[in-house]
Amino acid sequence: MRTSRIRTATLAAVTAALALGLTACGGTDGGSKAAGSDNAAGSAQSQSAAGGDGKDGAEQANSGGATKDGARSTTASGGTGEATGKGTTAGAQQCRGDEMLLTAVHRFAGQQGDHLLVTASNKGTKPCWVTSYPTVKLGDVDSAALPHSKKDNTGGSKHLTLQPGGKVYTAVNLFDYGSKHHTAQSFALALRGADGQDGPSYSVDLQGDKPQFSWNEADVLNWNTTKPYNF
């Protein structure tokens, strides 16, 4: 009986040990699977993060592209300095007088604010630019060119790009003191280059009900994309 009990106890102990061993092995396998899942998840997260960084990198590149496009947009509307020669207006040349339609209207004749509103339209097929203020000679083409207005805004070095059909404006301010003044119905205008040199001169006849104008002194404004004295 004692021997039988010992054998039974021994078998029970062995069985329990085997059960514990199998359980331990199962736990180990489960832990490996869990670790593998965590590793896979970590890898997935890592790949996802890398993908996210890649996307952010693309967005940064697109942002850089957007900045470039923004520069182009600014340039197209009249950038300054070196930026003028870049972007969508890289091929734009200086406007030529023979491709421009120049018109002028006498406004506020004999009143305060008396001036000649000058409009230049690009009649060419390609964009072109103007800069600074035009060289204007009133009446006799042999007369002296008008000075730039001291009351004008700064920024005359800007390149204003005109798309085909685009327009820019300037004004000739007239100061008539009532005696010993000059009178005319036309004037000569030349576009100035970036180097300040004048291009060919073109005669501009005034339109409207009062084409004749008088002045003792006069000056001229920079080119602008909006009409000066538009009130």
Side-chain angles (χ1 to χ4, degrees), residues 24-26 28 54 110 154 173 175 182 189 191:
C25 290
T28 301
T154 58
N173 300 313
F175 305 99
H182 309 282
L189 183 148
L191 300 175

Side-chain angles (χ1 to χ4, degrees), residues 71-79 83-93 127-129 161-163:
R72 289 177 181 176
S73 177
T74 302
T75 301
S77 62
T84 306
K86 300 178 181 179
T88 57
T89 58
Q93 302 293 325
C128 66
W129 55 263
T161 301
L162 287 75
Q163 298 298 327

